Structures are given as structure tokens and as C-alpha cells.
Amino acid sequence: MDIGTILFAFGLTLFAGLSTGIGSLMALLTKKTSPRFLSVALGFSAGFMIYVSLIELFADSKKSLINILGDTQGNWVTVIAFFSGIILIAVIDRLVPSIENPHEARRVEGMSDGKDALTCSQQKLMRLGFVSAVAIAVHNFPEGLATFATGLHNPSLGIAIAFAVAIHNIPEGIAVSVPIYCATGSRRKAFRWSFLSGLCEPLGALLGYAIFASFINDLTLGILYAMIAGIMVFVSLDELLPTAREYGSPHLAIYGLVGGMMVMAVSLLVLL
């Protein structure tokens, strides 16, 4: 595989990961959360992920595995890999306590009044911010690998997935920034920690690729695509949509969801 393709895939993953910096900038430069925007944006990202997972990734995985293993075994391996991806990300999610989970909604207003369910000691707030940053690394490892691997073998899909992941990383930046600012009073420190935590996604992609590179072939790629589909469906249903509803109204989240599916569908018709 040529170096240009690898650099392109890595660039997509870097873009997606560093979008946590957008969340930090919202915390640094604004005084009020825009819940309507975040609600629609998160719903939009969920629509992107669900559509591309079920229409493209799952279908490509199934086609590839059937060609290699035959109809019966190929279908079974596709389904098993899909739900293995769901189980993997569900286990990771369960290991992170909800109060320290970076996907829990945080508001910029909490930076100015010290509230947002964060009324506790400075030491505990610093711990909350630090653990949130670490939790982002744990959550984003499979997402980074998904973006990187897809970008390597299907640049069009890689761009779409990177965009969807980037949107859903914005609240993660806020989740790190809010408690650190409340503890230190420094917006720069809040931005720095949030920005640096985003680097874990491309780092996770490189580590994952280094581990699995020698095993990549049509069979393992088909399994990986199905697992990626499962991971992204779970992230959408368990994290993006509930957070979108919490930031804004349920209708806005669903409008964003449908809009994301429509844009993804049209994009795939144009790009593929």
C-alpha cells in the first residue's frame, strides 16, 4: 500500500480526533451553549453513522465474506462480527462511570457558574476532567481504527465516517474543558487538555494498524467492516441520539438524524 494512501487515511483520523478542539474552543470563546445546534448536529452525525454502517459497511462485509466463505458461513460470520463490534464498544462504555463518561452532556454555562452537576471540590473536578480525557482515549480507539481502516480501503467512505466522528467529538471536548476550567479557572488549560485528548484517536489508529497490519486480507477486512458497522450503530443509538435529545428537543434530534441519512445517501451516490 502506497504512502500517500496511508497519509490520507491518517489525515482523516487526525481531523476527526482533533475536532475535540472545536468543543474546547466553544468552551474557551463562548459563554453559552447552543443546544439546538448541538442537538441537530449530533442527530445528523448519528444519521451519517447508521446509514453508512447498515447500507454500505455491513453490505460490503457480507459480500466479501460470502465470496470467501460461501453463503451460509459468510452470512453467519458477518452477523457474528457485527454483534461482536457492538459487544466490544458496549463493554468499553460500561467500564467508564457515567459521571466521568465523555459522552455525557456538558454545557459551556457550567464554566461560568461552576454548576452543571459539577458542584464539588477542585480536586474532584480536576479528576473528573482528567478521567474524561482518559476515557476519550478508551472510547476513541475503535473509532480511530474504524476511520483509518476505512480510509485506507475506501477513501469515499473514510471521508464520510471521519466527518460523522468529528461532529460527535465536539461534545467530548466540552466534557473535558468544563470541569478543568471550573477547577483551575484557566481557559487555556481547559483547551490544552481537551485538544491533547483528541490526539488519542489518531494514536489509537496507528497502534491498531500496527497490530493488525500483518493480518489484513480480504477475510479480516470483511470481519473488520462488520465490527466497525456494529461499533458505529451502538455509538449512534447509545450515545449520540440520547445526548442529542438531552441538549435539545427530541424532534430536533430526529430531524438531524433524517437529514444525516439523506446527506449520506446522496453523498454515496455521488462519490461511489
Side-chain angles (χ1 to χ4, degrees):
M1 187 169 293
D2 65 276
I3 188 66
T5 303
I6 294 174
L7 290 176
F8 173 78
F10 179 75
L12 290 179
T13 310
L14 185 65
F15 159 73
L18 292 185
S19 64
T20 55
I22 298 175
S24 348
L25 285 175
M26 289 178 64
L28 182 66
L29 301 176
T30 66
K31 295 184 178 181
K32 187 176 182 180
T33 305
S34 176
R36 293 175 64 88
F37 167 76
L38 285 175
S39 182
V40 173
L42 291 172
F44 192 86
S45 178
F48 253 58
M49 287 189 174
I50 292 172
Y51 190 91
V52 75
S53 295
L54 298 180
I55 301 300
E56 289 294 328
L57 291 177
F58 188 89
D60 287 351
S61 170
K62 182 178 178 180
K63 180 180 179 181
S64 176
L65 292 174
I66 286 177
N67 286 337
I68 297 169
L69 302 173
D71 286 343
T72 302
Q73 193 173 0
N75 275 302
W76 273 103
V77 172
T78 303
V79 171
I80 291 171
F82 177 79
F83 286 102
S84 295
I86 291 178
I87 292 171
L88 172 64
I89 193 65
V91 170
I92 290 174
D93 199 61
R94 291 292 296 176
L95 293 176
V96 181
S98 60
I99 189 61
E100 294 165 349
N101 194 319
H103 295 106
E104 294 297 309
R106 302 278 189 266
R107 292 178 180 268
V108 175
E109 289 91 322
M111 297 182 67
S112 59
D113 60 18
K115 296 177 182 178
D116 191 34
L118 297 175
T119 53
C120 46
S121 68
Q122 288 186 336
Q123 184 178 5
K124 188 171 183 179
L125 285 170
M126 276 300 294
R127 178 179 178 274
L128 175 58
F130 176 75
V131 175
S132 292
V134 174
I136 285 176
V138 176
H139 277 84
N140 285 2
F141 183 89
E143 293 170 9
L145 180 60
T147 306
F148 187 70
T150 309
L152 281 177
H153 298 278
N154 192 326
S156 298
L157 281 180
I159 292 171
I161 290 173
F163 182 70
V165 172
I167 293 174
H168 114 272
N169 279 348
I170 292 175
E172 294 183 351
I174 297 175
V176 175
S177 295
V178 169
I180 290 179
Y181 176 79
C182 289
T184 66
S186 171
R187 293 181 184 271
R188 292 185 181 277
K189 286 184 179 180
F191 173 78
R192 189 183 305 121
W193 275 91
S194 180
F195 183 80
L196 290 176
S197 68
L199 292 175
C200 296
E201 187 151 317
L203 178 61
L206 290 181
L207 289 176
Y209 184 72
I211 294 171
F212 297 112
S214 59
F215 303 101
I216 292 295
N217 53 44
D218 289 342
L219 176 62
T220 55
L221 190 61
I223 293 173
L224 182 61
Y225 267 24
M227 291 185 69
I228 289 170
I231 288 170
M232 293 204 300
V233 167
F234 182 88
V235 167
S236 299
L237 298 179
D238 183 67
E239 298 168 359
L240 294 182
L241 285 178
T243 306
R245 292 167 67 95
E246 188 171 346
Y247 271 117
S249 72
H251 292 300
L252 288 176
I254 296 302
Y255 296 156
L257 174 75
V258 175
M261 287 184 169
M262 291 176 62
V263 171
M264 175 56 74
V266 173
S267 299
L268 291 175
L269 290 175
V270 172
L271 294 174
L272 298 181

